[in-house]
PDB file of all heavy atoms in Angstrom:
ATOM      1  N   LEU A 198      91.596-119.464-183.756  1.00  0.00           N
ATOM      2  CA  LEU A 198      91.054-119.494-185.112  1.00  0.00           C
ATOM      3  C   LEU A 198      89.704-118.801-185.276  1.00  0.00           C
ATOM      4  O   LEU A 198      89.383-118.341-186.372  1.00  0.00           O
ATOM      5  CB  LEU A 198      90.925-120.961-185.572  1.00  0.00           C
ATOM      6  CG  LEU A 198      92.211-121.785-185.520  1.00  0.00           C
ATOM      7  CD1 LEU A 198      91.926-123.227-185.911  1.00  0.00           C
ATOM      8  CD2 LEU A 198      93.277-121.184-186.430  1.00  0.00           C
ATOM      9  N   GLU A 199      88.887-118.772-184.236  1.00  0.00           N
ATOM     10  CA  GLU A 199      87.537-118.217-184.311  1.00  0.00           C
ATOM     11  C   GLU A 199      87.348-117.229-183.169  1.00  0.00           C
ATOM     12  O   GLU A 199      86.637-117.504-182.205  1.00  0.00           O
ATOM     13  CB  GLU A 199      86.480-119.339-184.220  1.00  0.00           C
ATOM     14  CG  GLU A 199      86.573-120.401-185.288  1.00  0.00           C
ATOM     15  CD  GLU A 199      86.060-119.898-186.630  1.00  0.00           C
ATOM     16  OE1 GLU A 199      85.260-118.936-186.662  1.00  0.00           O
ATOM     17  OE2 GLU A 199      86.479-120.467-187.642  1.00  0.00           O
ATOM     18  N   GLY A 200      87.949-116.072-183.260  1.00  0.00           N
ATOM     19  CA  GLY A 200      87.891-115.087-182.195  1.00  0.00           C
ATOM     20  C   GLY A 200      86.477-114.720-181.785  1.00  0.00           C
ATOM     21  O   GLY A 200      86.182-114.546-180.600  1.00  0.00           O
ATOM     22  N   GLU A 201      85.574-114.610-182.764  1.00  0.00           N
ATOM     23  CA  GLU A 201      84.186-114.243-182.471  1.00  0.00           C
ATOM     24  C   GLU A 201      83.510-115.316-181.605  1.00  0.00           C
ATOM     25  O   GLU A 201      82.797-114.996-180.655  1.00  0.00           O
ATOM     26  CB  GLU A 201      83.418-114.057-183.785  1.00  0.00           C
ATOM     27  CG  GLU A 201      82.052-113.451-183.598  1.00  0.00           C
ATOM     28  CD  GLU A 201      81.392-113.149-184.929  1.00  0.00           C
ATOM     29  OE1 GLU A 201      82.026-112.530-185.798  1.00  0.00           O
ATOM     30  OE2 GLU A 201      80.228-113.564-185.062  1.00  0.00           O
ATOM     31  N   GLU A 202      83.716-116.613-181.910  1.00  0.00           N
ATOM     32  CA  GLU A 202      83.160-117.716-181.119  1.00  0.00           C
ATOM     33  C   GLU A 202      83.759-117.730-179.715  1.00  0.00           C
ATOM     34  O   GLU A 202      83.067-117.993-178.738  1.00  0.00           O
ATOM     35  CB  GLU A 202      83.415-119.069-181.811  1.00  0.00           C
ATOM     36  CG  GLU A 202      82.591-119.303-183.047  1.00  0.00           C
ATOM     37  CD  GLU A 202      81.100-119.328-182.762  1.00  0.00           C
ATOM     38  OE1 GLU A 202      80.690-119.994-181.780  1.00  0.00           O
ATOM     39  OE2 GLU A 202      80.347-118.670-183.502  1.00  0.00           O
ATOM     40  N   PHE A 203      85.058-117.446-179.634  1.00  0.00           N
ATOM     41  CA  PHE A 203      85.717-117.448-178.325  1.00  0.00           C
ATOM     42  C   PHE A 203      85.135-116.380-177.411  1.00  0.00           C
ATOM     43  O   PHE A 203      84.918-116.608-176.228  1.00  0.00           O
ATOM     44  CB  PHE A 203      87.230-117.231-178.497  1.00  0.00           C
ATOM     45  CG  PHE A 203      87.973-117.162-177.202  1.00  0.00           C
ATOM     46  CD1 PHE A 203      88.205-118.315-176.454  1.00  0.00           C
ATOM     47  CD2 PHE A 203      88.431-115.950-176.702  1.00  0.00           C
ATOM     48  CE1 PHE A 203      88.883-118.259-175.248  1.00  0.00           C
ATOM     49  CE2 PHE A 203      89.104-115.888-175.498  1.00  0.00           C
ATOM     50  CZ  PHE A 203      89.339-117.048-174.771  1.00  0.00           C
ATOM     51  N   HIS A 204      84.820-115.212-177.951  1.00  0.00           N
ATOM     52  CA  HIS A 204      84.286-114.109-177.137  1.00  0.00           C
ATOM     53  C   HIS A 204      82.841-114.352-176.696  1.00  0.00           C
ATOM     54  O   HIS A 204      82.354-113.660-175.810  1.00  0.00           O
ATOM     55  CB  HIS A 204      84.435-112.780-177.875  1.00  0.00           C
ATOM     56  CG  HIS A 204      85.869-112.340-177.986  1.00  0.00           C
ATOM     57  ND1 HIS A 204      86.637-112.003-176.891  1.00  0.00           N
ATOM     58  CD2 HIS A 204      86.698-112.231-179.058  1.00  0.00           C
ATOM     59  CE1 HIS A 204      87.853-111.694-177.271  1.00  0.00           C
ATOM     60  NE2 HIS A 204      87.922-111.831-178.594  1.00  0.00           N
ATOM     61  N   LYS A 205      82.169-115.351-177.256  1.00  0.00           N
ATOM     62  CA  LYS A 205      80.816-115.716-176.826  1.00  0.00           C
ATOM     63  C   LYS A 205      80.841-116.529-175.527  1.00  0.00           C
ATOM     64  O   LYS A 205      79.825-116.638-174.846  1.00  0.00           O
ATOM     65  CB  LYS A 205      80.103-116.534-177.896  1.00  0.00           C
ATOM     66  CG  LYS A 205      79.720-115.741-179.124  1.00  0.00           C
ATOM     67  CD  LYS A 205      79.003-116.643-180.113  1.00  0.00           C
ATOM     68  CE  LYS A 205      78.660-115.896-181.389  1.00  0.00           C
ATOM     69  NZ  LYS A 205      78.025-116.786-182.386  1.00  0.00           N
ATOM     70  N   LEU A 206      81.993-117.110-175.206  1.00  0.00           N
ATOM     71  CA  LEU A 206      82.105-117.913-173.985  1.00  0.00           C
ATOM     72  C   LEU A 206      82.032-117.017-172.756  1.00  0.00           C
ATOM     73  O   LEU A 206      82.591-115.912-172.750  1.00  0.00           O
ATOM     74  CB  LEU A 206      83.427-118.691-173.967  1.00  0.00           C
ATOM     75  CG  LEU A 206      83.613-119.740-175.057  1.00  0.00           C
ATOM     76  CD1 LEU A 206      85.030-120.288-175.036  1.00  0.00           C
ATOM     77  CD2 LEU A 206      82.598-120.855-174.872  1.00  0.00           C
ATOM     78  N   PRO A 207      81.364-117.468-171.689  1.00  0.00           N
ATOM     79  CA  PRO A 207      81.292-116.647-170.470  1.00  0.00           C
ATOM     80  C   PRO A 207      82.663-116.575-169.783  1.00  0.00           C
ATOM     81  O   PRO A 207      83.479-117.495-169.877  1.00  0.00           O
ATOM     82  CB  PRO A 207      80.279-117.390-169.597  1.00  0.00           C
ATOM     83  CG  PRO A 207      80.272-118.786-170.100  1.00  0.00           C
ATOM     84  CD  PRO A 207      80.623-118.721-171.551  1.00  0.00           C
ATOM     85  N   ASP A 208      82.892-115.467-169.090  1.00  0.00           N
ATOM     86  CA  ASP A 208      84.149-115.289-168.368  1.00  0.00           C
ATOM     87  C   ASP A 208      84.208-116.122-167.096  1.00  0.00           C
ATOM     88  O   ASP A 208      85.276-116.529-166.659  1.00  0.00           O
ATOM     89  CB  ASP A 208      84.364-113.807-168.013  1.00  0.00           C
ATOM     90  CG  ASP A 208      84.595-112.951-169.254  1.00  0.00           C
ATOM     91  OD1 ASP A 208      85.096-113.506-170.257  1.00  0.00           O
ATOM     92  OD2 ASP A 208      84.271-111.761-169.213  1.00  0.00           O
ATOM     93  N   VAL A 209      83.044-116.343-166.479  1.00  0.00           N
ATOM     94  CA  VAL A 209      82.971-117.130-165.249  1.00  0.00           C
ATOM     95  C   VAL A 209      81.816-118.125-165.378  1.00  0.00           C
ATOM     96  O   VAL A 209      80.873-117.891-166.124  1.00  0.00           O
ATOM     97  CB  VAL A 209      82.761-116.233-163.999  1.00  0.00           C
ATOM     98  CG1 VAL A 209      83.963-115.356-163.754  1.00  0.00           C
ATOM     99  CG2 VAL A 209      81.508-115.392-164.131  1.00  0.00           C
ATOM    100  N   PRO A 210      81.870-119.230-164.640  1.00  0.00           N
ATOM    101  CA  PRO A 210      80.758-120.180-164.673  1.00  0.00           C
ATOM    102  C   PRO A 210      79.489-119.536-164.132  1.00  0.00           C
ATOM    103  O   PRO A 210      79.554-118.587-163.342  1.00  0.00           O
ATOM    104  CB  PRO A 210      81.211-121.315-163.743  1.00  0.00           C
ATOM    105  CG  PRO A 210      82.672-121.124-163.552  1.00  0.00           C
ATOM    106  CD  PRO A 210      82.965-119.682-163.793  1.00  0.00           C
ATOM    107  N   PRO A 211      78.318-120.030-164.553  1.00  0.00           N
ATOM    108  CA  PRO A 211      77.055-119.459-164.045  1.00  0.00           C
ATOM    109  C   PRO A 211      76.943-119.658-162.533  1.00  0.00           C
ATOM    110  O   PRO A 211      77.405-120.653-161.994  1.00  0.00           O
ATOM    111  CB  PRO A 211      75.979-120.249-164.785  1.00  0.00           C
ATOM    112  CG  PRO A 211      76.655-121.479-165.279  1.00  0.00           C
ATOM    113  CD  PRO A 211      78.101-121.163-165.440  1.00  0.00           C
ATOM    114  N   SER A 212      76.355-118.674-161.891  1.00  0.00           N
ATOM    115  CA  SER A 212      76.190-118.764-160.441  1.00  0.00           C
ATOM    116  C   SER A 212      74.780-118.314-160.105  1.00  0.00           C
ATOM    117  O   SER A 212      74.320-117.313-160.637  1.00  0.00           O
ATOM    118  CB  SER A 212      77.206-117.869-159.760  1.00  0.00           C
ATOM    119  OG  SER A 212      77.086-117.943-158.372  1.00  0.00           O
ATOM    120  N   PRO A 213      74.067-118.979-159.252  1.00  0.00           N
ATOM    121  CA  PRO A 213      74.448-120.206-158.557  1.00  0.00           C
ATOM    122  C   PRO A 213      74.475-121.379-159.537  1.00  0.00           C
ATOM    123  O   PRO A 213      73.872-121.323-160.611  1.00  0.00           O
ATOM    124  CB  PRO A 213      73.347-120.391-157.517  1.00  0.00           C
ATOM    125  CG  PRO A 213      72.154-119.721-158.122  1.00  0.00           C
ATOM    126  CD  PRO A 213      72.695-118.580-158.947  1.00  0.00           C
ATOM    127  N   LEU A 214      75.174-122.435-159.132  1.00  0.00           N
ATOM    128  CA  LEU A 214      75.266-123.614-159.979  1.00  0.00           C
ATOM    129  C   LEU A 214      73.862-124.175-160.221  1.00  0.00           C
ATOM    130  O   LEU A 214      73.014-124.151-159.342  1.00  0.00           O
ATOM    131  CB  LEU A 214      76.164-124.666-159.335  1.00  0.00           C
ATOM    132  CG  LEU A 214      77.636-124.266-159.190  1.00  0.00           C
ATOM    133  CD1 LEU A 214      78.396-125.356-158.449  1.00  0.00           C
ATOM    134  CD2 LEU A 214      78.275-124.002-160.538  1.00  0.00           C
TER     135      LEU A 214
END
Side-chain angles (χ1 to χ4, degrees):
L198 304 176
E199 301 285 337
E201 190 174 311
E202 288 298 314
F203 178 74
H204 290 295
K205 289 181 183 177
L206 296 172
D208 293 333
V209 294
S212 181
L214 295 176

